[in-house]
Amino acid sequence: METAALQRIVDKYVEAFEKADLNMIRQLYAEDATLEDPAGSPARHGIEEILEFYKAGFAMGMKLKLDGKPRCAGNSVAFAFDGVMKKMTISPIDVFEVNANGKVQHMRAYWGPENVS
Amino acid sequence: METAALQRIVDKYVEAFEKADLNMIRQLYAEDATLEDPAGSPARHGIEEILEFYKAGFAMGMKLKLDGKPRCAGNSVAFAFDGVMKKMTISPIDVFEVNANGKVQHMRAYWGPENVS
C-alpha cells in the first residue's frame, strides 16, 4: 500500500476526532473490521460495535495530537499520539492494518495505565 | 503479562544496543521467534536468523533512544525510538509480542523511508 494512502487514513482519523464525526470513522473502517483497545482485550467486531466505541470517545471530547510522523510499513501504519480530554491525556500507539480496499481491517491500540496522565 | 516485565524487556533491548551485545538479544527472544523489519516484509525465523539481523545493526553502531514511555498492553509492548547511527537516524515503532516464558515471540518494526533522516 502506498505510504501517502496510509498517511491519509491517519490524517482523516485525526480529523474525525476533531469534528467528532462518526461518519468519517465509518468510512475509514471495513464493515467486518476488528478493534482491540487496549491490544489483548476482547476485540470489538464489525463496524457497528466499533462505532459504539468511538461514540464514547467523542462523548468525552477527545482530540488527537500526533506525536511524530506515522510509521508506514507494508499494509500497516503505526502512530503515537496524545488523546487529549478535559481531565486527562492518554498517550497510546495505534496500529492499523489496512485491506486491499484501503479500509482499516484491524486496529490495535497499545497503552496501559502508565500512559495516562 | 506484568507491565514491569514488559518494560524490562525494552530496557534490556536498549542496553543490548548500547553494549552491542548479541548475547543479550539472544536472551530476549524465543528460540522460534519471528522478526519482521519492516513489518510486512518476509519474516526472519528462529533465533539464528534474528541474531544475523542484529549483528548487522550493531555493525552500523546503532544506539537506541526511546521516544516516550513504552506502551504495554496484554502480552505486547509497543515503543517509539530513534535508532541513531553515524550518518543517519531511523525512527521506527517496534511491537514485541511476548510469550508465557517472558520471551519475545514476534517482533514487528513499523517504519518507512519517511522515518529516516
Side-chain angles (χ1 to χ4, degrees), chain A residues 69 71-72 91 111 114, chain B residues 69 71-72 91 110-111 114:
Chain A
K69 288 182 195 170
R71 277 74 156 186
C72 304
S91 303
W111 65 277
E114 68 283 7
Chain B
K69 288 182 196 171
R71 278 72 158 187
C72 303
S91 303
Y110 296 86
W111 64 277
E114 69 282 7

Side-chain angles (χ1 to χ4, degrees), chain A residues 8-27:
Chain A
R8 199 155 45 234
I9 289 170
V10 176
D11 289 342
K12 286 281 177 197
Y13 192 68
V14 172
E15 189 185 339
F17 275 85
E18 199 56 45
K19 298 180 174 170
D21 186 337
L22 277 179
N23 204 40
M24 287 185 72
I25 297 289
R26 183 186 288 276
Q27 286 165 12

Side-chain angles (χ1 to χ4, degrees), chain A residues 42-113:
Chain A
R44 288 165 176 85
H45 290 271
I47 189 64
E48 299 307 329
E49 281 184 34
I50 287 172
L51 289 177
E52 284 302 313
F53 172 77
Y54 285 99
K55 204 168 162 181
F58 290 174
M60 290 187 287
M62 192 191 283
K63 307 295 174 196
L64 306 195
K65 279 179 52 183
L66 291 182
D67 179 10
K69 288 182 195 170
R71 277 74 156 186
C72 304
N75 65 345
S76 296
V77 55
F79 56 105
F81 63 93
D82 290 332
V84 182
M85 293 164 280
K86 214 171 243 175
K87 297 195 175 170
M88 64 178 188
T89 295
I90 177 170
S91 303
I93 286 174
D94 280 11
V95 178
F96 291 170
E97 284 179 46
V98 177
N99 68 20
N101 298 320
K103 303 291 186 179
V104 179
Q105 191 67 52
H106 301 292
M107 182 280 216
R108 289 183 189 84
Y110 296 86
W111 65 277

